[in-house]
Amino acid sequence: MKYILCADFGSTYSKLTAIDVSARKIIGTSKAYTTIETHILEGFNKALADLESQIGKIGFDKRLAASSAAGGLKMIAIGLVPSLTANAAKMAASSAGAKLIATYSYELSSAESEAIEAAKPDIILLSGGIDGGNKEVILHNAEVISRLSHDVPVIIAGNKSVAEQASRIIADGAGRKPAQLVENVMPRFGELNIMPAKTAIRDLFISRIISAKGLDDAQAIMAAEIIPTPLAVFEACELLSVRGSLTAVDVGGATTDVYSMTDGAPTRPNAIEKGLKEPFAKRSVEGDLGVRYSIPSLVSEATLEAIVQYCGIPEADVSSWLDTVSRDTSIVAERGSVGAAIDDELAASCVGISMSRHAGRLESVYTPMGEMLIQTGKDLGDVSLLIGTGGSIINSPNAEAILTRALASTADPYSLKPRAPRIVIDTSNILTAMGLLSRVDKDAALAIMSQQFGL
């Protein structure tokens, strides 16, 4: 095996990466607009023609692909307690490469049922209760799900004592939705078991969602199953972590993803962990943080005043640009323009807010032994590497400055964000390709990433 072609069918662009596996190097990249509305292979073939104009025609030994086209893999996670089973379900969905559009806890209300109906998720992950624990909530929620008119597959990963009953309720309901049983995401209090649910999500994506999103013909020319793009990035980061702990931030037009590969144990001598122990490999996706489609929610979170202050640009000009790109999300600012400066600040806001949400926090408490610090979530303070990716970062001349917003600051001393990692930019946008390559040749993928990031 010498040459491999990796394809990433994105919501906006289809990106190709040609790899010489024997030489451990990337020999060419290209991209073209994703043509999901007509035929997915139109954009692919345009990108391939561009690639061949650079490197000539090559007989690829394998073609591998990932996709976030047509909105990616949209999921809803449902659990019992927000900080426990609901959080465990959220972690399972995120680590599988899903775009988590909502998480619900306790018994679903009528309003929440209507919201799920309107969202039309690709998959629902239903959890709730440790094994032998609460039974009523998961059964209630199964009944609510069974009445949804949307034909959505359901993965049940809750209390094993009633999981089969919940499955029958869903399968026998009016919509007769397909229901799949897997092991509980939290079989015992505080114990995570997300791999079975993650595997089921991936398999459902391959067996059902590929067809639903019109990727069948693309799948037919690939050597392996198409996987969600965030899952490929997740696996690339997980492989790269053998070189040291890391975080990665991927800023997009609609969402911002954060990945951390570290145990997250306390680095402060008087800190004690509390709550759910998070996994070494973690992904979070912030569906309200993006530089185009999510501008209204981003501005609401970051505040217009702060954006104006950081930019140093008059509020009227900032508001005018935000209104323009909200109406036409395809607009790309010219380098050095006022719009580019505002876009840099939007990306920086996404980075800062998403990392604050992803990282753990400290709370100061006083005990008879003196002041103690209670840690919830992962301590990212000692992470050695911070990778920036996504078009908003890769294409900006100020990429490193944008990423400094991910770092710990005296403005929020209780946030456990990274303190002093080395910052690198995924300038060639290789993480997705390396995640795909790692599935057939981990050594080659690790060697290329190590070279690319100077490790």
Side-chain angles (χ1 to χ4, degrees), residues 5-9 15-17 44 64-67 222 432 436:
L5 180 68
C6 294
D8 177 13
F9 296 103
K15 301 172 281 288
L16 302 184
T17 303
F44 173 86
L64 307 170
S67 175
M222 299 300 160
T432 300
L436 290 168

Side-chain angles (χ1 to χ4, degrees), residues 6 73 120 133 164 192 245 261 354 374 407 444:
C6 294
L73 176 60
K120 289 185 168 28
E164 290 185 8
L192 279 177
S245 59
M261 305 292 153
S354 63
I374 304 299
L407 305 182

Side-chain angles (χ1 to χ4, degrees), residues 14 16 30-32 42-52:
S14 291
L16 302 184
S30 66
K31 67 180 180 180
E42 287 183 19
F44 173 86
N45 289 329
K46 287 180 182 178
L48 183 59
D50 180 23
L51 183 65
E52 290 177 339

